[in-house]
Amino acid sequence: MDLQFLGAATTVTGSQYLLTTARARILIDCGMFQGTPDETIRNRVPFAYEPPRVDALLLTHAHLDHCGLIPHLVAEGFAGPIYATAGTLELAALVLLDSGRLQEEFAKREMRWEHRHPDRAAASNHQAQTDYAAALDLAEAGEELAGSPATGRPGNHHTGEHVPTTVEPAGPQLARPTDTAGRAGQAPEVEPEPELEAPLYTERDARRSLRRFRPIRYDTEFEVAPGVHATFLDAGHILGSAIIRLRVQDGEGDPERVLVFSGDLGRPGSPILRDYTSVTEADYLLVESTYGGREHEPEAEAMRILAETVRLVAEHDGVLLVPAFAIGRTQDLIWSLDRLIDQGAIPLLPLYLDSPMASKATDIYRRHPEYFDAETTSLLRRGGTPLDYPKQIVTDDFQHSQAIARAPRPYMIVSANGMLTGGRVVGHLRDLIDDPSAVILFVGYQGEGTLGAHLQAGATTVKVEGAVREVRCKIRSISGFSAHADESEVLDWLRNFTAGGSGAPARPSRAPRTVFIVHGDPEAQKAIEPKIRALGLATHIPEWHERVTLE
Ligand SMILES: [Zn+2]
């Protein structure tokens, strides 16, 4: 059998892995690439397989970078079941319909802009084509990596030499199937290049893809395809999130192999949800590495900084802007603010929840108390409202969103998206960036090259919606509210595989032959790799499109 890494390889987005056995083809996640243009262009690269020939898709959780390409996959002919927990499927429906809508809107806006600025449009189109050609080359380079047995190659040759995400545009010899039609002197109706501006999929495509959803329960094994059995275990990351364990038999009579996909691992002790599940056995393991080399501050410290920041804003009649992903971060943040109000640690400022998706996601959280941890369950039982801030104003439409700027200060805004790569939050940032009484508070991971990452690194000028702006607001960060385990917490989870866990298994521990380090930026992966090896585990950092044989 083999496994191909079709996303989240030396980057944090686009999660997608294809398992091929003698009898089945199974996808694990089908996420969208997000972030810089040379990343997002990868969404346009044709699938590395024929979608109609894939038997099933297993979805770890509902974040767009794990599920965002599902409508595209279905539109390209995938007709199998999509298995995930009920919580994940409800959230994924919300995420995908919104994504389809956004893509249509974006394409329309892009078309109008091109109409008004034909010269700049030509340049930007050319850049997109160049990025696309580079992405195809990168995929090809990954395909060409030797499909050697992944039985642990200490110090494999890729480590530390990651292919940069921006590569030189390929030479003029390019003869891509997609741009073979004549570029010049052809009839104008001939489309010479791949259509990179059309929506990748529409809201209708998204709606159609939801018909493939099949809810499953945690901890209940089921047969996905001949020779492949799956169990979803709580990953404690967002509502419904899962670690996926597969028992796989390549051909009939072949020995069984256990594959574990960590998905995104939550932070133990974080609000609302139960902690990640300890797993003790695997032959092959894929582990996320978002926070490789980094530690979060303890929860108490995160709460202290949050309280201090809210008080600072209150004292200066300022505005607190929190860019937060609608699903997960927003609910945790509101939970934390609600606790601080209960403790009398902060004044009760109005909170504008400027993210229709966030309030819909909260409704879905409310419908699934069976996923909550003991603390939240007991808060609810005592009549608490841990998912609602007492002075919360939900803004549904764009006009209300814009009107927030005229509201009497002080107040707080929570708006998506979390890395400032788009969404309503960018409009607020435009209003507040040169306002010294405003505070931008980051509570989640900022991907390399994003506006959020630049601000966090202390940039004094940044580009917001194309304009160069001076940064005069205050910038603060709290990593303790992260939805991701930090390095020590990932290593703790991995240690279960070496020690057999605290539950002393009946048979000897089955330590993974190879730990594939995925879902991390190169620096993070390089930082955590030696520490995983120090646990006695062999590691490999796969490249995008690399295929490995699992023996
Ligand atoms: Zn996630």
Side-chain angles (χ1 to χ4, degrees), residues 250-267:
D250 195 359
E252 234 170 306
D254 282 336
E256 178 190 290
R257 297 286 173 246
V258 176
L259 276 57
V260 174
F261 299 79
S262 77
D264 288 1
L265 290 174
R267 188 167 194 214

Side-chain angles (χ1 to χ4, degrees), residues 14 16 26 63 67 110 115 128-129 139 145 147 153 191 213 259 284 338 355 400 407 411-412 496 506:
Q16 188 185 162
I26 308 294
H63 275 149
C67 71
E110 193 71 9
H115 210 71
Q129 296 290 344
L145 286 172
R153 290 163 283 169
E191 180 53 64
F213 283 8
L259 276 57
Y284 298 98
D338 200 52
S355 168
H400 286 120
Y411 59 86
M412 308 186 278
N496 290 309

Side-chain angles (χ1 to χ4, degrees), residues 61 63 65-66 237-238 264 484 519:
H61 67 285
H63 275 149
D65 65 312
H66 292 258
H237 169 62
I238 60 167
D264 288 1
H484 287 270
H519 200 291

Side-chain angles (χ1 to χ4, degrees), residues 343-409:
Q343 295 160 15
I346 54 170
L348 182 57
L349 304 189
L351 173 105
Y352 291 90
L353 182 56
D354 188 27
S355 168
M357 202 207 274
S359 68
K360 285 181 197 152
T362 302
D363 291 339
I364 296 172
Y365 267 66
R366 270 193 210 100
R367 287 208 289 272
H368 290 282
E370 75 274 19
Y371 295 141
F372 295 171
D373 62 12
E375 188 183 7
T376 301
T377 305
S378 110
L379 277 169
L380 283 170
R381 207 171 289 144
R382 294 201 308 267
T385 53
L387 295 170
D388 297 281
Y389 181 83
K391 212 171 172 184
Q392 172 176 310
I393 304 129
V394 179
T395 45
D396 280 328
D397 60 42
F398 190 58
Q399 273 72 32
H400 286 120
S401 168
Q402 286 181 312
I404 296 173
R406 298 190 293 277
R409 295 181 173 201

